Amino acid sequence: MTATQITHPSAEAEVPLRDWWAQREKNRLSVETECCVFGLPRGARTEPGYDAVRILTTDIEDLSHWLEVRGGTVTVTNAGDGIQVWTLRTATEAELPKFPAVTVLVSVLVPADEQMMPEIRAAVVSS
């Protein structure tokens, strides 16, 4: 019997399913720890993945809090019908070699005409 393999899209390398799940769980634990230690919001939904943990929130204050504590850059994408997705790309703090930094993507939907906090606007990267 052979081990199940999946293709990791960003690395284009095959990773055994067991290793993929282990990395996903390690990423989840790193972000959970970060949330507990720094009082960071977990959002409405947290989705751990092999390469990053995605936090989906309904409150721009959650994104602001992550930005204040962890820094990072923000991208803005039009979702259509007057809605934008604002996404902060940041990372957890690397604790030990066993637990390297994990990419965290915090996303929130906002109306396109909403006034945005200056500190969030300042973090927006030009495309």
Side-chain angles (χ1 to χ4, degrees), residues 39-91:
L40 293 166
R42 291 174 176 87
R45 183 174 175 177
T46 301
E47 286 294 322
Y50 180 87
D51 58 345
V53 174
R54 289 153 185 85
I55 296 175
L56 307 174
T57 183
T58 58
D59 189 346
I60 195 67
E61 294 284 339
D62 291 351
L63 187 145
S64 177
H65 195 97
W66 273 91
L67 178 62
E68 179 183 328
V69 172
R70 286 276 137 246
T73 57
V74 174
T75 57
V76 181
T77 307
N78 286 320
D81 294 327
I83 300 293
Q84 294 178 326
V85 180
W86 289 62
T87 301
L88 170 67
R89 175 180 281 278
T90 189

Side-chain angles (χ1 to χ4, degrees), residues 29-49:
L29 288 173
S30 291
V31 171
E32 279 292 317
T33 300
E34 198 90 346
C35 288
C36 290
V37 169
F38 295 101
L40 293 166
R42 291 174 176 87
R45 183 174 175 177
T46 301
E47 286 294 322

Side-chain angles (χ1 to χ4, degrees), residues 92-120:
T92 61
E93 189 172 346
E95 295 294 325
L96 303 166
K98 184 177 178 182
F99 293 100
V102 174
T103 299
V104 180
L105 303 168
V106 182
S107 297
V108 62
L109 294 173
V110 297
D113 60 355
E114 181 167 316
Q115 294 295 313
M116 194 53 60
M117 295 173 228
E119 60 272 17
I120 294 176

Side-chain angles (χ1 to χ4, degrees), residues 15 23 28 62 65 69 97 127:
V15 177
Q23 181 64 42
R28 185 191 67 76
D62 291 351
H65 195 97
V69 172
S127 47

